[in-house]
Amino acid sequence: MIEIYLRLVDKILTPIIFLIAIFLFLRGHDMPGGGFIAGLVAASAIELTILARGTQATRDRYGPWAVPLAGTGLTIAVGAALLGMYNGGFFRSIWLEFSMAGEKLKLGTPQLFDLGVMFVVVGMAITYLLRLGEAAEVAVPEQTRLERQREDRHR
Amino acid sequence: MPALALSLVILFISAPIFWLLKPHRSLWFAWLGALPPATITVWQALQLPAIAQGNFIAERYAWAPTLGLELALRLDGLALFFGLIITGVGACIAFYTAYYFEGEPRQGFFYLVLYSFMASMLGLVWADDLLTLFIFWEGTSITSYLLIAFKSDYKGATEGARRALIVTTAGGLAMLAGMVLLGLHVGSFNISEILAAPDIAAASITPVALILIFLGAFTKSAQFPFQFWLPGAMAAPTPASAYLHSATMVKAGVFLLARLHPAFSELPLWFWTLFLVGGFTMALGGVSAIRYTDMKASLAYATVAVLGTLVMLLAFREKYAYEAFVVTVLAHALYKAPLFLSAGIVDHAMGTRDLRRLANLARTMPLVAATVVLAALSMSGVLPTMGFLAKELMLEQGFQRLERGDGLVGGLMYAASVLAALFMVAAIATLAWEAFFRRQADEHPAHLHHAPSPGFVAPALLLTLLGTVGAFFAGMYENLLLAPAIAAISGEPTTLRLKVWHGLTPVFLTSLAVLAVGIGVFALRNHVRRAFAAVPEKFSSLAVYDAIIDAIYHFAYRLTTVIQGSPMAPQVSVTLLAGVAVVVYALFFSTARTGVLLDSLEIPSIAEWLIFALAILGALATVRARSRLSAIISLGVVGITVTIFFIVFGAPDLALTQLLIEVLTVILLVLVFFRVRPDPFIEDDRRRAFRLFVAIAMGFFGFTVVMVNHVTQIGESISPYFLEKSYSLGKGTNVVNVILVDFRGYDTLGEITVLGLAALGGYALLRSPQIHKLRRRIVAARSAGEDGAQPVSAVKHEATEVGHD
């Protein structure tokens, strides 16, 4: 029964949590938030899926993205730092400022770097959560269940 | 226009693009693949006249200006000479690759690494800054590793790759230390400035720096006693062997020595090290080549011999040595690459490249046979080829020394050259004869799968023809291409007049004798091979290397058993006590205590007291908990109170992070403790007392550190700077984030690298075979037990899971 409720929660909350993660990421440079926090929030959304649906379903959903994500993040971060070479050195920031619909917006290499940070955090979290979740699913409940069945049969 | 940087960027960008294009779909990608390197070759060729007149192209880019680091590129005669070989041969290899990997889905990945290597190698020879050079140097080591390990399901490939990586990067690190010594002494890492520094050869650090740099150059260029990694690298796909392990990468060490030659070659240390190491490597490699029946292994030892020759030639500061050096580099690239490519074609067509199983291929592959024969003539130094010119000049150098009465150097050089040359003649004659012309194979003759298409052979044939006729037309390029390279090596401008025919000189007669004796050895090849096979393996440098690696593994194992062999609690105690020891040392024995004592502590408010009490309660509950689950949850409570503290003190970013970490930690702990067996409850009072002591010590010293940090201040606080500059410099109002991603970006980069590595480690460790064994058992039990009706689905389930991982 619990699983059904959890699945419902997963269905409703997971997209919202991801949106929150994106929101936190985007506002990060000026208000509390940022890549690290956004990454953790996204990771908790994925953990919710694991708890509600198990690792296999989660793997089906995020699997192809999970493992390369940390490497992608690192590449993006280094790439953002390298872009700074254009502006006089490794890690020098470049900013584009423009206004759209009356709002002043800005885009810069530090934000790209932050995106890399977020990817690394999510990638690492998924890797551990999936692997450990798998181990926990397999090792304990299944084993005890099988043993119980065997005892039942003996009786 | 920044043409040099642009060329590197083109290659680096072509790499992923080619990967995404999936080039295995069509052979037309051969042309597209050859395009970027061919373009750069043409551009370089157009620069020849300007460079020959001394109008070098230099580009400098700031990297970390505050540290004085920069990326500096400079196209002088030597850089252009090597650059042309890299991109010219590279274009041929890129073309050949499409045929070699016809229809192979991983072809795109091969191109990715190949282009990355090409860019690194080009950057290496164009570099005008020692650290720039080092970065590209490591780039070539890593790409070489990926290419050797390309057939990752083959054990020899992964082992050979690891060996090559360990040897070359260990040498690279030694080299870095030497470069840093040189750079600090001169006050600049710019190569031109270092070479121009007065009295650099006489400086006290120079011998140490040189020996360290030699280590880098010798490991990279497979000099004795590091030569063993090169034959192991032959597990790489043939295009990589032809390109990296004969034409370009292995010459990086030689290139570095040539680069440093003008400043340091007067030193006796320089002369004797290069002369003896190079000469011995040349003799060893040349003699070993005939021993192997694998075509590529035989060619690899011949490459070792040539690399030894090049190192030996760089020992001298004389005209013939310089000329021999540049001609050998060029000739070797033009004959060895085609030989490798031909070996690859044979392998591709016959399914083997073992000489014992091959015979009479000239009938089925006449073009390949022609290529091999022409290249073999150049390699053995038969008259009109470029290889002949190279050998002639080298012998001339030895002869000059003899004539001047320097019997030791001249005699040694002459003897080593002749020995290496005649065995190489025998080895290449054996290869060409046995594979292409003899009637009958020794055992299990291989059969032709499919004949190679002309496009497959074309790149090899093109390179060979250049090498064969090149010597005739030396007048066209000797002062455009070779003389500027010699000028960069010797440090003085020079002109060149190469002659193919010198008349019946003693050197020419020696050359003839070498050929004759070489053919004699070829006739006796089976006896020679048997004699070599009797040499015991355990004196080889490979055996020594393996023993060293084994010893390191053994030591690591012993160390780990001592420190971490016990159950979890003692392990944690070791870690915690080590932390405490560091703090105690810092507090009581460190002399660097120049902090200022801040005046007072504020009295906390009631709300703070309440949170504080909650934290203590949580901690007590953790300790007193009866089950692990409740302990973990109580620990979570402690974490949440810390979060509340952050909120109270106005640090929303920290609070948010702490909260999320706390949630994820609780989940992770629960998951982890499913796997870890509980420690048995300890009845022994002494042990319990010890653990109590560890816990209290840790708590006390943690408290002390925080207190001391709070009431003292060392130096001036940097917080106001960050607060003030956050918006003006970092364009952000969230100071924490600006510090993380901008002001202290280097730190963050380091941290996420650690995170990424942790992810990789977790991925590898947690997919331990036990989990899979258990899972398979459960699946099997399930199909036999309750789900007995659907065994097929269970098996399918298992199969998908195994396939997935």
Side-chain angles (χ1 to χ4, degrees):
Chain A
M1 277 308 271
I2 294 173
E3 273 187 18
I4 295 175
Y5 289 124
L6 261 181
R7 278 180 198 193
L8 190 65
V9 169
D10 168 57
K11 201 164 228 168
I12 299 168
L13 272 189
T14 303
I16 297 178
I17 301 179
F18 272 121
L19 280 180
I20 293 176
I22 295 171
F23 169 70
L24 280 171
F25 170 74
L26 287 178
R27 79 203 282 257
H29 211 60
D30 291 321
M31 278 171 285
F36 194 81
I37 294 173
L40 289 175
V41 172
S44 56
I46 291 160
E47 177 57 26
L48 182 60
T49 314
I50 294 179
L51 288 180
R53 294 169 193 275
T55 48
Q56 193 55 46
T58 316
R59 210 175 260 287
D60 291 343
R61 197 185 285 179
Y62 305 110
W65 302 95
V67 177
L69 202 58
T72 316
L74 265 182
T75 316
I76 292 178
V78 173
L82 276 176
L83 277 181
M85 301 283 292
Y86 185 74
N87 199 16
F90 196 59
F91 261 119
R92 289 291 175 85
S93 54
I94 304 173
W95 285 99
L96 291 175
E97 281 179 87
F98 52 91
S99 51
M100 194 202 281
E103 290 284 322
K104 262 196 159 180
L105 294 175
K106 60 190 176 188
L107 279 177
T109 51
Q111 286 167 314
L112 194 61
F113 181 81
D114 217 12
L115 186 71
V117 173
M118 174 168 140
F119 279 6
V120 174
V121 171
V122 180
M124 190 213 65
I126 304 186
T127 309
Y128 274 86
L129 292 173
L130 273 180
R131 286 284 174 202
L132 287 172
E134 235 163 52
E137 272 173 20
V138 171
V140 182
E142 296 271 357
Q143 207 176 20
T144 47
R145 198 157 60 89
L146 281 173
E147 276 163 10
R148 217 179 298 133
Q149 281 171 4
R150 214 166 289 149
E151 280 165 19
D152 287 347
R153 222 168 286 150
H154 280 296
R155 227 175 281 149
Chain B
M1 193 181 67
L4 298 178
L6 196 66
S7 305
L8 296 183
V9 169
I10 286 176
L11 285 178
F12 270 125
I13 289 181
S14 311
I17 288 180
F18 233 76
W19 185 36
L20 296 174
L21 278 178
K22 300 191 169 51
H24 63 274
R25 292 174 300 172
S26 160
L27 278 177
W28 287 105
F29 280 101
W31 295 96
L32 196 60
L35 188 65
T39 315
I40 299 172
T41 314
V42 171
W43 178 79
Q44 287 185 98
L46 293 177
Q47 308 306 313
L48 277 169
I51 301 292
Q53 284 166 7
N55 301 325
F56 301 146
I57 301 174
E59 291 172 16
R60 301 170 86 153
Y61 302 93
W63 169 14
T66 42
L67 295 173
L69 295 179
E70 61 173 9
L71 290 180
L73 303 171
R74 184 162 177 268
L75 191 68
D76 66 351
L78 188 65
L80 184 60
F81 176 60
F82 273 90
L84 271 172
I85 292 178
I86 291 163
T87 52
V89 178
C92 291
I93 300 285
F95 188 88
Y96 174 91
T97 301
Y99 286 87
Y100 185 81
F101 283 122
E102 192 181 341
E104 152 79 50
R106 293 182 68 208
Q107 188 187 13
F109 177 71
F110 188 86
Y111 269 114
L112 169 81
V113 186
L114 187 73
Y115 280 132
S116 309
F117 165 76
M118 212 182 283
S120 304
M121 190 68 207
L122 209 52
L124 195 162
V125 298
W126 284 353
D128 193 28
D129 179 282
L130 285 177
L131 298 178
T132 310
L133 189 146
F134 176 76
I135 291 169
F136 287 122
W137 181 284
E138 294 294 282
T140 62
S141 290
I142 294 166
T143 42
S144 154
Y145 170 79
L146 291 173
L147 288 175
I148 301 172
F150 188 75
K151 297 174 205 150
S152 51
D153 49 348
Y154 167 51
K155 190 153 179 275
T158 48
E159 253 175 23
R162 194 160 46 218
R163 210 177 280 145
L165 186 72
I166 289 176
V167 173
T168 52
T169 49
L173 286 179
M175 182 184 78
L176 177 65
M179 287 173 164
V180 169
L181 279 180
L182 270 187
L184 290 181
H185 178 77
V186 177
S188 161
F189 285 99
N190 191 285
I191 295 178
S192 312
E193 284 170 28
I194 289 176
L195 294 184
D199 299 330
I200 178 73
S204 56
I205 51 100
T206 301
V208 184
L210 271 188
I211 288 172
L212 290 170
I213 291 177
F214 284 163
L215 278 175
F218 289 171
T219 48
K220 194 83 167 175
S221 284
Q223 299 297 301
F224 178 82
F226 307 111
Q227 83 287 3
F228 58 87
W229 72 261
L230 189 55
M234 291 301 130
T238 304
S241 306
Y243 192 43
L244 276 74
H245 306 123
S246 86
T248 57
M249 188 191 86
V250 286
K251 297 215 181 85
V254 177
F255 167 81
L256 179 65
L257 295 175
R259 218 356 133 217
L260 298 178
H261 189 275
F264 301 105
S265 51
E266 303 157 13
L267 296 171
L269 172 74
W270 175 282
F271 177 81
W272 287 108
T273 315
L274 297 201
F275 180 71
L276 292 176
V277 171
F280 188 74
T281 309
M282 172 172 76
L284 183 77
V287 172
S288 308
I290 196 171
R291 176 174 172 181
Y292 296 89
T293 54
D294 175 5
M295 289 168 92
K296 279 173 76 178
S298 176
L299 291 173
Y301 275 101
T303 306
V304 168
V306 172
L307 293 171
T309 311
L310 293 174
V311 168
M312 182 186 72
L313 287 171
L314 281 177
F316 297 96
R317 296 163 60 77
E318 287 148 43
K319 178 170 164 281
Y320 282 113
Y322 293 142
E323 292 178 4
F325 177 80
V326 287
V327 175
T328 309
V329 169
L330 190 58
H332 180 249
L334 292 179
Y335 72 70
K336 189 55 70 54
L339 283 174
F340 269 111
L341 295 183
S342 304
I345 296 172
V346 169
D347 198 1
H348 200 266
M350 307 296 291
T352 181
R353 46 171 206 263
D354 189 335
L355 288 175
R356 284 169 300 191
R357 298 184 53 201
L358 298 170
N360 211 7
L361 295 181
R363 259 184 43 205
T364 46
M365 307 181 209
L367 275 179
V368 183
T371 308
V372 168
V373 168
L374 284 179
L377 289 180
S378 187
M379 176 167 157
S380 1
V382 178
L383 185 51
T385 60
M386 207 171 241
F388 167 75
L389 198 58
K391 194 164 61 174
E392 204 78 342
L393 287 165
M394 176 175 66
L395 289 174
E396 186 67 43
Q397 169 65 33
F399 190 69
Q400 295 275 328
R401 279 275 173 150
L402 274 180
E403 270 197 328
R404 270 191 283 143
D406 190 353
L408 178 65
V409 172
L412 275 177
M413 184 169 172
Y414 223 76
S417 312
V418 167
L419 186 70
L422 71 89
F423 270 96
M424 270 157 72
V425 169
I428 194 63
T430 305
L431 190 148
W433 170 259
E434 292 195 339
F436 291 93
F437 297 104
R438 66 171 168 181
R439 286 290 163 81
Q440 197 66 50
D442 291 340
E443 48 197 65
H444 311 300
H447 297 288
L448 185 70
H449 294 306
H450 46 281
S453 56
F456 201 2
V457 192
L461 194 58
L462 175 72
L463 288 174
T464 323
L465 287 176
L466 282 178
T468 315
V469 300
F472 283 119
F473 302 105
M476 284 171 62
Y477 57 81
E478 57 190 8
N479 283 320
L480 275 181
L481 180 65
L482 303 181
I486 292 179
I489 303 171
S490 64
E492 306 155 356
T494 173
T495 52
L496 211 59
R497 188 84 198 90
L498 293 175
K499 276 189 299 185
V500 178
W501 178 247
H502 286 265
L504 277 177
T505 56
V507 167
F508 181 66
L509 293 176
T510 317
S511 220
L512 282 184
V514 164
L515 274 179
V517 180
I519 299 296
V521 176
F522 160 67
L524 297 172
R525 60 188 180 278
N526 287 331
H527 299 281
V528 176
R529 278 176 177 164
R530 232 171 287 142
F532 275 131
V535 180
E537 285 281 333
K538 79 178 162 195
F539 299 115
S540 69
S541 16
L542 179 59
V544 174
Y545 165 86
D546 283 342
I548 292 173
I549 295 293
D550 276 352
I552 291 174
Y553 275 136
H554 192 68
F555 174 73
Y557 175 74
R558 291 276 296 275
L559 194 67
T560 318
T561 7
V562 170
I563 298 178
Q564 301 196 310
S566 47
M568 211 163 109
Q571 275 183 43
V572 174
S573 310
V574 170
T575 314
L576 293 184
L577 283 179
V580 169
V582 170
V583 173
V584 169
Y585 175 81
L587 280 182
F588 298 110
F589 301 102
S590 163
T591 48
R593 278 187 293 150
T594 50
V596 190
L597 203 66
L598 298 179
D599 41 6
S600 68
L601 293 169
E602 289 168 35
I603 306 291
S605 69
I606 295 179
E608 286 160 25
W609 279 115
L610 279 177
I611 310 168
F612 190 53
L614 194 60
I616 291 179
L617 277 179
L620 281 177
T622 311
V623 178
R624 303 288 305 167
R626 285 270 161 220
S627 77
R628 280 176 167 184
L629 200 60
S630 45
I632 293 169
I633 292 170
S634 320
L635 201 60
V637 171
V638 180
I640 303 287
T641 53
V642 175
T643 312
I644 301 174
F645 268 117
F646 284 139
I647 295 172
V648 169
F649 288 105
D653 268 294
L654 283 182
L656 213 47
T657 313
Q658 176 74 27
L659 184 67
L660 290 161
I661 289 281
E662 213 47 64
V663 171
L664 287 174
T665 312
V666 167
I667 293 171
L668 276 178
L669 279 178
V670 170
L671 292 177
V672 167
F673 276 117
F674 266 123
R675 297 208 60 198
V676 181
R677 251 182 304 137
D679 282 347
F681 186 74
I682 302 158
E683 303 291 345
D684 186 351
D685 278 346
R686 275 216 318 258
R687 282 200 194 165
R688 296 190 68 182
F690 174 70
R691 289 187 188 181
L692 191 66
F693 166 73
V694 172
I696 289 175
M698 193 58 211
F700 180 71
F701 284 106
F703 174 76
T704 317
V705 168
V706 174
M707 269 322 262
V708 168
N709 266 336
H710 191 77
V711 297
T712 59
Q713 189 182 352
I714 299 172
E716 216 170 297
S717 170
I718 49 171
S719 316
Y721 173 82
F722 285 143
L723 285 174
E724 188 185 323
K725 301 284 183 185
S726 170
Y727 196 76
S728 56
L729 291 180
K731 304 231 181 239
T733 49
N734 179 358
V735 185
V736 177
N737 189 262
V738 172
I739 291 174
L740 277 178
V741 298
D742 202 340
F743 288 144
R744 314 205 60 167
Y746 273 109
D747 287 2
T748 311
L749 187 62
E751 282 153 16
I752 58 174
T753 309
V754 171
L755 269 189
L757 285 178
L760 211 59
Y763 180 74
L765 276 178
L766 292 174
R767 67 187 228 168
S768 71
Q770 279 130 338
I771 298 181
H772 284 275
K773 234 184 279 167
L774 198 60
R775 180 189 302 231
R776 235 162 283 155
R777 228 175 45 217
I778 290 165
V779 171
R782 198 187 283 157
S783 59
E786 59 170 338
D787 299 337
Q790 313 143 317
V792 183
S793 71
V795 171
K796 211 191 275 170
H797 180 61
E798 179 188 13
T800 51
E801 274 182 329
V802 170
H804 196 93
D805 288 330

